[in-house]
């Protein structure tokens, strides 16, 4: 493949759990070129991104904490397609990362969760004005898209539903971005869920979980040994219907990440959710 057809990719959060998987996936894709591997972890500065990700050969791309110079460099690369920034960093920094990328004409593909609805709206307005594609995807696994589709269908028939999300205990944000999106998708039907049967008292604050706008309760479990799991539990007289998705390896997200990298250059605005690009 000539360089002209190649998509230059910068991975932000390259030394993290997801970043390392993305480095491997991008390195193995013949239509993508890894241009930069950004991470702020001090002990990983200067290390080869491929070796850090567990590849047998070095990629000759060093880990660096210099995002803006890398965005500027890729933006100036005229021999290739427009650049893509894949972001798996932290809820506190992702908003600024996306703004910086769009300002340089680099398309963000964002897996980092924890953005507020107001931030997503601001970023959407910013991307629209810049006529630049941006993908924010709370969950890149096909299994979760299918679970959410099934949940939306089930919610036409069930009026009571709660969500339990279970994650490793390194996770910074709660509830998970996926659980919030799942509640939003159910809420879009415009029906009232979970009409109270009695007046409830929480004897310990938080016992009934968090209450999403849609009236749906989300319960967050954090334990070592977990990766990422979600149950959507529907209840009705005499029956329980449970949908469950389990992640056993972060490789499950990579087909979705690669699809998003290839699709984002065709967009001119912000799109939220993997289901919109399948
Ligand atoms: N959409 C999806 O399908 C998925 C989304 N996620 C989300 O992705 C995000 C990352 O998850 P995960 O890989 O598990 O987290 P990790 O903590 O393993 O990785 C994040 C990496 O980003 C680094 N980092 C922090 N701040 C910056 C910054 N300003 N610039 C560059 N690098 C930075 C961290 O460094 P340090 O540790 O030194 O702070 C760390 O190396 C989370 O929000 C998570 O919820 C996760 C899995 C799937
Ligand atoms: O932090 C994680 O691990 C994950 N985060 C995303 C979320 O918050 O929904 C996606 C997946 O659940 C893994």
């Amino acid at each position: 493949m000539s360089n002209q057809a190649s998509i230059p990719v910068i991975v932000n959060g390259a030394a993290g759990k997801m970043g390392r998987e993305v480095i491997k996936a991008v390195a193995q894709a013949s239509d993508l070129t890894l241009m930069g591997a950004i991470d702020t972890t001090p002990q990983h500065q200067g290390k080869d991104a491929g070796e850090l990700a567990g590849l047998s050969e070095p990629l000759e791309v060093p880990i660096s904490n210099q995002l803006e110079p890398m965005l500027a460099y890729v933006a100036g690369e005229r021999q290739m397609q427009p650049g893509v920034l894949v972001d798996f960093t932290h809820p506190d920094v992702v908003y600024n990362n996306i703004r910086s990328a769009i300002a340089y004409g680099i398309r963000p593909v964002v897996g980092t969760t924890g953005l507020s609805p107001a931030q997503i709206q601001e970023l959407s307005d910013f991307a629209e004005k810049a006529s630049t594609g941006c993908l924010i995807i709370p969950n890149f696994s096909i299994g979760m898209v299918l679970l959410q589709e099934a949940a939306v269908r089930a919610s036409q028939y069930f009026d009571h539903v709660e969500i339990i999300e279970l994650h490793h205990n390194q996770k910074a944000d709660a509830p998970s971005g996926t659980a919030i999106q799942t509640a939003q998708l159910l809420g879009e039907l415009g029906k009232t869920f979970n009409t109270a049967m009695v007046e409830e008292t929480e004897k310990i604050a938080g016992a009934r979980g968090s209450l999403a706008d849609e009236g749906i309760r989300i319960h967050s479990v954090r334990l070592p040994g977990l990766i990422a799991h979600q149950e959507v539990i529907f209840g009705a007289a005499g029956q329980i219907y449970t949908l469950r998705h389990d992640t056993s390896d972060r490789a499950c997200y990579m087909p979705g990440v690669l699809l998003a990298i290839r699709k984002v250059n065709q967009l001119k605005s912000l799109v939220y959710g993997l289901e919109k690009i399948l």
Side-chain angles (χ1 to χ4, degrees):
M1 178 151 315
S2 81
N3 225 20
Q4 197 119 30
S6 185
I7 303 173
V9 178
I10 305 166
V11 177
N12 200 15
K17 293 182 282 301
M18 285 297 289
R20 293 179 197 214
E21 281 297 327
V22 177
I23 296 284
K24 282 192 278 185
V26 168
Q28 285 157 13
S30 59
D31 59 333
L32 310 180
T33 303
L34 182 73
M35 299 287 280
I38 308 296
D39 200 288
T40 48
T41 312
Q43 67 266 33
H44 294 316
Q45 297 307 301
K47 286 185 188 168
D48 184 83
E51 287 177 342
L52 191 61
L55 294 174
S56 50
E57 298 289 324
L59 291 173
E60 312 294 348
V61 177
I63 302 281
S64 149
N65 56 15
Q66 298 296 304
L67 176 62
E68 294 251 347
M70 182 53 68
L71 291 169
Y73 174 70
V74 171
E77 185 56 71
R78 299 280 166 226
Q79 302 303 313
M80 301 170 90
Q81 292 193 41
V84 175
L85 175 76
V86 180
D87 193 289
F88 284 98
T89 56
H90 190 278
D92 291 349
V93 299
V94 59
Y95 177 86
N96 284 336
N97 295 341
I98 299 171
R99 280 198 77 109
S100 298
I102 293 173
Y104 281 98
I106 303 293
R107 281 69 169 158
V109 166
V110 181
T112 312
T113 47
L115 285 164
S116 69
Q119 286 179 315
I120 294 172
Q121 186 57 56
E122 282 171 26
L123 292 167
S124 178
D125 295 344
F126 192 58
E128 189 92 39
K129 276 198 199 112
S131 207
T132 298
C134 173
L135 280 166
I136 298 182
I137 311 277
N139 199 303
F140 281 97
S141 70
I142 184 67
M144 185 53 71
V145 174
L146 296 173
L147 182 149
Q148 289 173 333
E149 277 180 20
V152 167
R153 177 149 163 73
S155 66
Q156 293 166 9
Y157 304 99
F158 286 87
D159 298 332
H160 293 264
V161 58
E162 301 209 4
I163 297 172
I164 306 177
E165 55 93 347
L166 311 92
H167 282 81
H168 57 92
N169 63 348
Q170 309 285 306
K171 186 164 176 57
D173 53 319
S176 71
T178 307
I180 293 170
Q181 185 200 22
T182 306
Q184 283 166 350
L185 290 169
L186 299 182
E188 280 168 14
L189 294 173
K191 70 187 272 185
T192 306
F193 290 103
N194 305 328
T195 306
M197 297 292 141
V198 292
E199 196 177 319
E200 287 182 349
T201 311
E202 282 188 330
K203 294 296 184 185
I204 299 177
R208 291 286 289 114
S210 54
L211 186 59
D213 287 348
E214 298 74 16
I216 298 169
R217 299 219 173 245
I218 304 175
H219 308 266
S220 298
V221 178
R222 298 288 177 266
L223 287 172
L226 294 168
I227 297 185
H229 317 258
Q230 180 170 287
E231 285 187 359
V232 182
I233 309 175
F234 293 92
Q239 59 181 321
I240 288 291
Y241 177 51
T242 304
L243 296 165
R244 181 171 173 120
H245 182 254
D246 291 290
T247 305
S248 52
D249 190 317
R250 291 180 176 85
C252 73
Y253 302 117
M254 292 309 116
V257 172
L258 295 179
L259 177 72
I261 293 171
R262 291 171 181 134
K263 285 263 169 121
V264 73
N265 277 351
Q266 298 165 20
L267 304 173
K268 299 269 177 244
S269 59
L270 186 149
V271 171
Y272 179 82
L274 186 65
E275 69 282 3
K276 306 261 177 45
I277 58 163
L278 289 176

